[in-house]
């Protein structure tokens, strides 16, 4: 295995970058923009966090008025009580540049639109909600018209298809934009319940002293979805579960859950800590992996009739650090499972002697902490207490809190991503050194070429 081309970039960012004078949104007519991005921009407008012009770019031959109507439809489909004045403010900020990404005149017209809406020396955030195969094409074209000199380039996932392609893509983009102005999206880093892992761990002395191999027996991370791939067969068949959610989302969750405390609550201190943790995770051993594919997947349009792409994976990771040596981390993820949930179960070691048992002499499970990240964020402690009545019979007692009920509604991930991209705060974006480590970890199981085990939709995967 070749060594990573980058290491931790301690001190490379001293603070937030320049605030944006304009937002250029590539792929503005696409599915992601319709479902997630345009509603997020409405919420930012509502909170006065989006006050700059938004220039949409897409191949669709739309006018600015057509884009504004599309934005109204997108917001109305997601937001229950749309404020007409807020929507009108968002729509007034929208402008359209239609054209092919391979046509230089598209970018000449974009440059003219930026100058007209934001001025000659505007600092621009370019958000690429387009297929990764177009990242380099767009970056080259932006550079050709001078739109990368004062810009921040924000790219959606996936960043590469494996370690080699990720490095190749990074080199292509870095020709035009330095690391501190290249923001790689992993929308899980924008989820407040995910970020709350840091607060839960490092603000509570009740928890942190127990958070190591001395007290913890194992960790389980589950990301289950009760829906199938629907109409995304072509995309999913080229990606699979490992690339879609394990390499990015779940390894980021793992890093936040198990990393050492950052020195300060700054972007690079946090990202240094994540890099250090991921660099200590062994590459996956294929013998500790189960791959599955739900029955009927091969009948989906766009899926190869002999596809070996996994729609489910369960694997065990090992962290070779002083804190976590000997503590297995079990990860499972998949589609068409029994329910939709993202949660973490931390199982503690049992007492050195079991003085108490459950009814009928039953051995009870040791203490656990369940951290539910979605759909209903919260934390539950499973403690043991004496059952009422005669005898010292123990019973499990869950004690928990629902964060939404206790703290109120949270901001959606894309609201935070766009707010940070506009402000220049890199905290909730992935850094290249950690991405390289994530690709290294999963590389042994990316393309096994063997048939996954079948499982019935609505179950918990292969037996």
């Amino acid at each position: 295995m070749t060594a990573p081309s980058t290491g931790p970039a301690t001190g490379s960012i001293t603070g937030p970058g320049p605030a944006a004078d304009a937002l250029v949104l590539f792929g503005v007519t696409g599915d992601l923009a319709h479902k997630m991005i345009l509603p997020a921009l409405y919420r930012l407008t509502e909170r006065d966090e989006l006050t700059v012009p938004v220039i949409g770019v897409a191949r669709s031959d739309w006018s600015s008025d057509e884009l504004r109507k599309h934005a109204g439809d997108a917001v109305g489909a997601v937001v229950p009580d749309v404020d007409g004045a807020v929507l009108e403010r968002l729509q007034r900020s929208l402008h359209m540049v239609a054209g092919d990404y391979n046509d230089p005149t598209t970018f000449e017209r974009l440059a003219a639109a930026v100058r007209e809406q934001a001025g000659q020396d505007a600092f621009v955030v370019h958000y690429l909600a387009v297929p990764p195969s177009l990242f380099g094409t767009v970056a080259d074209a932006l550079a050709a018209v001078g739109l990368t000199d004062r810009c921040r380039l924000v790219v959606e996932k996936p960043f590469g298809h494996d370690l080699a392609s990720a490095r190749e893509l990074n080199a292509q983009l870095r020709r035009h934009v330095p690391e501190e102005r290249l923001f790689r999206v992993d929308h899980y880093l924008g989820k407040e319940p995910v970020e709350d892992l840091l607060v839960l761990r490092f603000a509570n002395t009740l928890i942190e002293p127990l958070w190591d191999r001395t007290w913890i027996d194992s960790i389980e991370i589950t990301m289950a979805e009760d829906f199938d791939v629907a109409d995304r067969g072509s995309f999913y068949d080229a990606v699979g579960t490992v690339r879609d959610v394990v390499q990015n989302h779940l390894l980021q969750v793992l890093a936040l859950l198990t990393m050492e405390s950052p020195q300060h609550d700054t972007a690079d201190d946090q990202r240094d800590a994540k890099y250090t943790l991921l660099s200590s995770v062994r590459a996956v051993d294929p013998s500790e992996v189960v791959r599955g594919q739900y029955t009927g997947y091969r009948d989906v349009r766009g899926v190869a009739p002999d596809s070996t792409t996994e729609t489910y994976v369960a694997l065990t990771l090992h962290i070779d650090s002083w804190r976590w040596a000997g503590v297995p981390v079990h990860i499972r993820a998949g589609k068409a499972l029994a329910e939709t949930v993202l949660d973490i179960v931390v199982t503690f070691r049992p007492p050195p002697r079991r003085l108490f048992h459950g009814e009928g002499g039953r051995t009870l499970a040791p203490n656990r902490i369940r951290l539910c990240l979605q759909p209903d964020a919260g934390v539950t402690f499973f403690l043991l207490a004496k059952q009422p009545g005669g005898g010292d019979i123990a019973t499990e007692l869950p004690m928990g809190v629902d964060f939404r009920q206790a703290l109120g509604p949270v901001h959606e991930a894309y609201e935070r991503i766009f707010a940070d991209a506009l402000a220049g705060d890199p905290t909730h974006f992935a850094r290249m050194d950690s991405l390289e480590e994530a690709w290294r970890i999963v590389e042994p199981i990316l393309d096994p070429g063997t048939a996954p085990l079948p499982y019935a939709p609505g179950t918990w995967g292969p037996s």
Side-chain angles (χ1 to χ4, degrees):
M1 182 68 62
T2 56
S5 61
T6 59
T10 306
S12 63
I13 298 172
T14 56
D21 299 309
L23 169 64
V24 175
L25 179 53
F26 289 88
V28 70
T29 62
D31 191 55
L32 178 63
H34 185 271
K35 292 181 178 179
M36 298 289 186
I37 293 175
L38 290 170
L41 296 184
Y42 168 84
R43 291 300 192 192
L44 294 184
T45 303
E46 186 178 42
R47 298 196 294 269
D48 293 323
E49 295 180 44
L50 177 64
T51 59
V52 301
V54 180
I55 302 171
V57 185
R59 289 170 171 160
S60 305
D61 188 16
W62 287 12
S63 66
S64 293
D65 285 341
E66 287 173 305
L67 174 59
R68 291 163 186 155
K69 181 182 182 306
H70 176 73
D73 294 340
V75 172
V78 175
V79 179
D81 298 310
V82 177
D83 185 318
V86 174
L87 179 59
E88 185 180 353
R89 280 165 50 203
L90 171 62
Q91 290 173 317
R92 282 201 308 267
S93 74
L94 295 173
H95 309 272
M96 185 71 191
V97 174
D100 193 281
Y101 299 135
N102 292 300
D103 183 354
T105 64
T106 300
F107 292 85
E108 292 168 6
R109 287 184 286 111
L110 173 60
V114 169
R115 288 193 297 270
E116 179 182 349
Q117 299 299 327
Q120 182 69 38
D121 297 321
F123 189 90
V124 185
V125 170
H126 299 293
Y127 196 104
L128 275 57
V130 296
S133 58
L134 292 173
F135 290 171
T137 299
V138 171
D140 290 346
L142 288 172
V145 295
L147 286 178
T148 55
D149 298 333
R150 287 181 51 76
C151 88
R152 201 154 31 247
L153 192 63
V154 186
V155 296
E156 273 285 345
K157 80 169 187 78
F159 196 85
H161 195 69
D162 53 19
L163 180 57
S165 62
R167 287 175 173 167
E168 182 179 350
L169 174 59
N170 193 60
Q172 188 175 16
L173 299 181
R174 287 287 300 275
R175 287 202 299 264
H176 309 300
V177 180
E179 173 67 25
E180 64 268 21
R181 291 197 279 116
L182 179 56
F183 283 24
R184 305 168 189 85
V185 174
D186 184 332
H187 74 270
Y188 264 50
L189 296 179
K191 287 180 176 286
E192 290 202 49
V194 172
E195 189 183 17
D196 195 53
L197 292 173
L198 284 182
V199 179
L200 189 72
R201 285 191 56 200
F202 299 122
N204 294 290
T205 53
L206 175 69
I207 294 175
E208 180 56 20
L210 306 179
W211 217 250
D212 63 24
R213 61 186 174 85
T214 304
W215 303 104
I216 291 177
D217 182 72
S218 65
I219 297 171
E220 296 179 6
I221 303 174
T222 298
M223 179 184 175
E225 296 171 326
D226 64 4
F227 48 89
D228 57 24
V229 300
D231 58 354
R232 301 170 69 232
S234 297
F235 162 78
Y236 202 88
D237 209 39
V239 177
T241 303
V242 174
R243 286 185 172 94
D244 189 38
V245 298
V246 175
Q247 180 271 337
N248 38 69
H249 302 332
L250 298 186
L251 288 184
Q252 290 290 338
V253 169
L254 170 67
L256 291 169
L257 185 69
T258 58
M259 71 187 196
E260 298 297 325
S261 171
Q263 292 300 308
H264 306 92
D265 186 25
T266 62
D268 266 337
D269 277 2
Q270 285 190 28
R271 300 200 294 179
D272 287 346
K274 283 193 279 189
Y275 167 78
T276 300
L277 184 283
L278 291 172
S279 67
S280 67
V281 178
R282 288 183 221 163
V284 181
D285 182 346
S287 69
E288 293 186 292
V289 177
V290 173
R291 297 169 64 250
Q293 184 186 92
Y294 68 80
T295 305
Y297 170 74
R298 296 181 184 181
D299 299 327
V300 175
R301 183 178 178 181
V303 173
D306 58 349
S307 172
T308 59
T309 298
E310 77 283 347
T311 62
Y312 170 95
V313 67
L315 56 88
T316 298
L317 294 176
H318 303 277
I319 305 172
D320 291 326
S321 70
W322 188 272
R323 180 186 289 262
W324 295 112
V327 178
V329 180
H330 307 295
I331 291 178
R332 62 176 170 175
K335 291 191 173 292
L337 297 178
E339 61 182 281
T340 295
V341 67
L342 171 62
D343 72 8
I344 299 160
V345 176
V346 177
T347 301
F348 287 83
R349 298 191 183 279
R353 290 190 62 226
R354 294 186 184 272
L355 297 179
F356 308 105
H357 293 80
E359 201 154 6
R362 180 169 54 92
T363 299
L364 295 169
N367 295 143
R368 286 164 291 140
I369 298 178
R370 181 185 182 218
L371 306 165
C372 188
L373 306 184
Q374 66 180 35
D376 299 314
V379 58
T380 303
F381 294 81
F382 292 90
L383 306 178
L384 297 180
K386 182 185 178 300
Q387 187 170 292
D392 292 331
I393 298 175
T395 188
E396 189 171 75
L397 186 65
M399 303 177 65
V401 60
D402 183 309
F403 290 161
R404 188 181 297 268
Q405 289 183 2
L407 303 173
V410 299
H411 293 171
E412 294 297 329
Y414 274 95
E415 297 173 35
R416 310 191 75 215
I417 286 169
F418 272 88
D420 289 350
L422 291 168
D425 184 350
T427 304
H428 301 117
F429 297 86
R431 202 170 64 187
M432 187 59 193
D433 53 1
S434 292
L435 281 176
E436 287 186 332
E437 291 301 322
W439 280 121
R440 173 192 62 79
I441 291 165
V442 301
E443 194 167 43
I445 60 169
L446 286 180
D447 298 295
T450 55
L453 299 173
Y455 65 94
T459 66
W460 281 108
S463 59

